[in-house]
């Protein structure tokens, strides 16, 4: 196999991946702030990080992946402005922050599972690391920080090339910086936020700078160092993090380890999923969550496939039509695999193991194309076409073909080897008929047609249509029916 090339946001170019520790890949992904449900755009960031992890495993590296859960410290503005998102939601819902965090962490984990995202080695919970954060801040405070009434601030002029990742200058601020009296530089940020005098926060800890809570940027520097050691290989996040959060993490890592040290060799960012009607805003009534897709009758892996159809560095525009097209593509693939499984059983072929032995040249060539695509900065769009080429190959050994499909699917994570057509038949929440009722009605219709009782068969069909069921005679994918979404 050849080299793995990845786009490094630090240098804005493709670079060959060379691990810090031989044979290993250590990856840190900025996780969600658990004050609300994640929208499907947020989940694009984790589909990307998961795909990266799968590619690293495919390339033979022993992967250690960390995703954090931010349950304190992320303000309503990514810089230092606004309220803590968790405190704000807890006040709105009149619940404790801990309950809010538990509820939305579980909802996030449900989405992780639905999208077939592998479990990372560690889910690091920010509040578990507060003593470590205080120790870390203490270690850099003398040289790199200053104290104001509102907190302990990081002086961005104390490290070289602050903001290089964002390609921003310290002083321009890009209109993103909160006015705080006494700040030395516009881009300086709080690493410890003091509880204002006379107030009590639901989450606050004692520190050398008084009662308060950690800054969001501090959290990721501390947890990544604690769990992966510095430097580690790859740090990921959405493209918005390239502008503020990650430059601030890098500044802290430099303060801790010397100015040339950004903490990770690669900083990688997924572009945004965009949706023009505003449904992705968490404040919109029916906002776009994975559960909404399921309620509307889509299988969640159709969304994963939709993400993989685009390059992670391109913007991806969401539309229901686009999702529907991805769903049909998923159905085709699942149908292709199930046909091969039937043939495999009929031919009593040897069991499907790894691709080995005397493999057909067509399969070898397709696997090579697939490998070249994913090694080219995770070009999953091309890799998917290799998978489809493989699915369509005739006159090759079926066991080898299935083994090759399994190998590709382990990288793409669409769960093709396990999914059945029945799994894909999800039921819209508003459906007024059950699957059993549909199957019974269709069996009766089949009987009526066999007996040439077309009047009866039409009545059954009309009744199904009235209940939102489309009867799909002669469907090329072999589907008998579909519930309208
Ligand atoms: P947050 O919970 O706001 O910290 O966001 C979680 C992750 O989702 C971060 O990596 C963000 O950069 C990423 N993100 C936010 N919005 C989008 C979007 N529309 N498309 C893709 N990624 C996003
Ligand atoms: Zn982070």
């Amino acid at each position: 196999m050849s080299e793995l090339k990845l786009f490094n946001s630090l240098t804005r170019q493709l670079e060959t991946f060379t691990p810090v520790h031989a044979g290993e890949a250590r990856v840190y992904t900025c996780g969600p702030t658990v004050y609300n449900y994640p929208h499907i755009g947020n989940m694009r960031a984790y589909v990307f990080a998961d795909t990266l992890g799968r590619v690293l495993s495919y390339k033979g590296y022993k992967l250690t992946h960390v995703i954090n859960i931010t349950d304190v410290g992320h303000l309503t503005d990514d810089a230092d402005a606004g309220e803590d998102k968790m405190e704000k939601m807890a006040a709105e819902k009149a619940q404790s922050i801990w309950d809010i965090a538990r509820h939305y962490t579980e909802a996030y984990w449900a989405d992780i599972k639905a999208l077939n995202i592998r479990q990372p080695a560690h889910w690091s919970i920010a509040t578990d690391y507060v003593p470590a954060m205080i120790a870390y801040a203490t270690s850099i405070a003398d040289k790199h920080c200053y104290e104001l009434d509102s907190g302990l601030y990081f002086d961005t002029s104390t490290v070289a090339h602050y903001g290089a990742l964002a390609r921003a200058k310290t002083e321009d601020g890009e209109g993103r910086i909160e006015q705080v009296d006494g700040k030395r530089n516009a881009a300086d940020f709080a690493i410890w936020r003091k509880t204002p005098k006379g107030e009590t926060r639901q989450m606050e800890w004692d520190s050398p700078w008084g009662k308060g809570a950690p800054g969001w940027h501090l959290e990721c520097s501390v947890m990544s160092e604690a769990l992966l050691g510095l430097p580690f290989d790859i740090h990921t996040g959405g493209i918005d993090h390239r502008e503020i959060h990650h430059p601030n993490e890098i500044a802290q890592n430099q303060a801790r380890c010397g100015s040339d040290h950004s903490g990770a060799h690669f900083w990688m960012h997924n572009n945004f999923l965009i949706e023009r009607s505003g449904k992705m805003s968490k404040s919109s009534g029916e906002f776009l969550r994975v559960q909404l897709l399921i309620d509307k009758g889509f299988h969640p892996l159709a969304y994963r496939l939709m993400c993989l159809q685009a390059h992670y560095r391109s913007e991806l525009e969401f539309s229901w039509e686009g999702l529907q097209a991805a769903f049909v593509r998923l159905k085709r693939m699942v149908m292709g695999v199930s046909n091969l499984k039937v043939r495999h059983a009929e031919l009593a072929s040897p069991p499907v193991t790894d691709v080995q032995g005397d493999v057909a040249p067509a399969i070898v060539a397709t696997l090579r194309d697939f490998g070249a695509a994913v090694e080219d900065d995770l070009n999953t769009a091309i890799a998917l076409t290799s998978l489809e080429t493989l699915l369509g190959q005739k006159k090759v050994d079926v066991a080898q073909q299935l083994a090759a499909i399994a190998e590709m699917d382990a990288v793409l994570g669409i769960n093709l080897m396990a999914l059945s057509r029945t799994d894909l038949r999800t039921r819209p929440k508003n459906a007024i008929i059950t699957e059993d009722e549909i199957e019974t009605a269709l069996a009766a219709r089949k009987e009526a047609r066999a007996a040439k009782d077309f009047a009866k068969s039409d009545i059954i069909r009309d009744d199904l249509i009235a209940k939102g069921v489309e009867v799909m005679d002669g469907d090329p994918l072999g589907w008998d029916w579909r519930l309208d979404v």
Side-chain angles (χ1 to χ4, degrees):
M1 270 199 251
S2 48
E3 292 174 331
L4 172 61
K5 301 266 189 206
L6 299 172
F7 187 83
N8 192 349
S9 299
L10 266 183
T11 56
R12 298 285 203 275
Q13 57 191 18
L14 286 178
E15 289 177 25
T16 301
F17 177 76
T18 328
V20 174
H21 303 269
E24 281 192 47
R26 302 188 184 184
V27 180
Y28 184 91
T29 294
C30 284
T33 304
V34 284
Y35 72 106
N36 204 335
Y37 297 107
H39 56 53
I40 57 172
N42 297 133
M43 296 314 293
R44 186 182 186 199
Y46 307 109
V47 168
F48 153 63
D50 179 55
T51 308
L52 171 66
R54 286 170 178 270
V55 169
L56 290 162
S57 300
Y58 164 75
K59 293 289 294 173
Y61 296 107
K62 179 179 164 285
L63 176 71
T64 307
H65 190 187
V66 176
I67 307 181
N68 75 281
I69 301 285
T70 296
D71 54 355
V72 64
H74 192 170
L75 304 191
T76 45
D77 183 291
D78 274 1
D80 286 329
E83 302 161 72
D84 186 304
K85 289 186 179 185
M86 300 294 300
E87 294 255 358
K88 185 165 177 260
M89 185 54 114
E92 263 170 45
K93 296 235 166 186
Q95 286 177 16
S96 84
I97 294 192
W98 301 102
D99 288 343
I100 298 277
R102 188 174 324 111
H103 177 77
Y104 292 114
T105 302
E106 276 165 15
Y108 166 69
W109 282 338
D111 288 357
I112 288 282
K113 191 159 173 238
L115 295 172
N116 201 28
I117 290 168
R118 298 194 302 184
Q119 289 290 317
H122 306 276
W123 290 110
S124 59
I125 316 276
T127 47
D128 289 345
Y129 285 81
V130 175
M133 293 173 199
I134 293 172
Y136 185 114
T138 307
S139 77
I140 60 172
D142 282 355
K143 273 195 175 162
H144 298 278
C145 305
Y146 56 94
E147 201 173 335
L148 298 177
D149 284 348
S150 52
L152 183 70
Y153 285 80
F154 190 96
D155 181 340
T156 50
S157 69
T158 61
V159 290
H161 319 299
Y162 171 78
L165 177 69
R167 309 264 153 121
K169 292 193 195 80
T170 315
E171 282 308 321
D172 68 8
E174 294 181 339
R176 63 194 172 94
I177 305 297
E178 186 201 19
Q179 292 302 320
V180 175
D181 282 344
K183 256 193 186 183
R184 293 181 189 164
N185 312 284
D188 293 355
F189 55 93
I191 65 173
W192 186 261
R193 294 174 302 115
K194 295 186 200 174
T195 306
K197 283 204 176 61
E199 285 183 25
T200 322
R201 283 189 182 135
Q202 270 200 51
M203 280 185 171
E204 56 182 10
W205 291 261
D206 286 321
S207 82
W209 317 283
K211 267 201 180 359
W216 173 45
H217 316 299
L218 180 66
E219 299 176 2
C220 287
S221 282
V222 171
M223 292 187 282
S224 56
E225 181 186 322
L227 291 164
L228 298 175
L230 292 183
F232 55 94
D233 295 297
I234 307 175
H235 194 313
T236 82
I239 190 109
D240 52 333
H241 288 350
R242 198 182 68 184
E243 308 308 315
I244 301 173
H245 182 48
H246 289 171
N248 290 353
E249 274 189 54
I250 289 175
Q252 293 163 159
N253 298 347
Q254 285 177 290
R256 183 96 165 149
C257 299
S259 256
D260 291 332
H261 196 317
S262 80
H265 282 182
F266 283 80
W267 293 77
M268 292 179 68
H269 298 98
N270 62 278
N271 213 321
F272 265 30
L273 179 83
I274 49 171
E275 203 276 330
R276 296 196 189 277
S277 71
K279 287 271 169 56
M280 220 149 63
S281 154
K282 296 190 183 184
S283 53
S284 78
E286 191 190 51
F287 91 82
L288 273 173
R289 307 168 39 197
V290 170
Q291 188 57 47
L292 180 69
L293 310 189
I294 297 170
D295 289 348
K296 286 192 181 281
F298 292 96
H299 194 282
L301 290 174
Y303 176 64
R304 182 176 178 114
L305 184 58
M306 189 179 181
C307 292
L308 297 176
Q309 288 178 169
H311 193 270
Y312 74 89
R313 282 195 285 123
S314 307
E315 254 181 15
L316 170 60
E317 181 159 351
F318 177 81
S319 70
W320 292 106
E321 296 73 32
L323 184 63
Q324 181 62 41
F327 196 16
V328 170
R329 192 174 185 192
L330 178 64
K331 285 177 177 174
R332 275 210 177 99
M333 290 178 174
V334 168
M335 163 117 144
V337 174
S338 61
N339 288 345
L340 286 175
K341 281 184 183 162
V342 170
R343 266 187 59 210
H344 180 253
E346 281 169 3
L347 295 171
S349 299
V352 178
T353 51
D354 291 345
V355 185
Q356 55 183 304
D358 195 11
V359 183
I363 295 183
V364 174
T366 314
L367 278 173
R368 197 185 315 115
D369 291 348
F370 177 87
V374 296
E375 283 159 4
D376 179 19
D377 196 28
L378 319 183
N379 196 334
T380 49
I382 301 285
L384 281 167
T385 62
S386 296
L387 172 58
E388 281 164 333
T389 304
L390 179 62
L391 276 166
Q393 274 165 358
K394 308 271 183 275
K395 297 186 191 146
V396 291
D397 179 272
V398 186
Q400 296 283 8
Q401 196 173 6
L402 282 168
I405 292 166
E407 188 172 314
M408 291 186 185
D409 192 38
V411 179
L412 298 168
I414 32 189
N415 211 12
L416 279 187
M417 297 303 285
L419 279 181
S420 69
R421 284 186 359 165
T422 333
D423 294 328
L424 293 185
R425 212 168 240 169
T426 58
R427 221 170 96 83
K429 204 178 178 184
N430 58 5
I432 52 170
I433 183 167
T434 66
E435 295 190 4
D436 284 350
E437 287 165 345
I438 298 172
E439 296 291 357
T440 310
L442 283 178
R445 177 168 174 264
K446 206 170 166 189
E447 250 174 51
R449 279 160 66 119
K452 305 223 180 312
D453 185 349
F454 296 112
K456 186 173 175 192
S457 126
D458 285 350
I459 291 171
I460 296 173
R461 182 192 175 107
D462 291 346
D463 183 53
L464 284 170
I465 290 172
K467 290 177 176 147
V469 182
E470 188 188 334
V471 179
M472 299 164 77
D473 296 329
D475 174 59
L477 292 184
W479 291 69
D480 307 326
W481 55 268
R482 186 166 76 96
L483 258 169
D484 276 340
V485 175

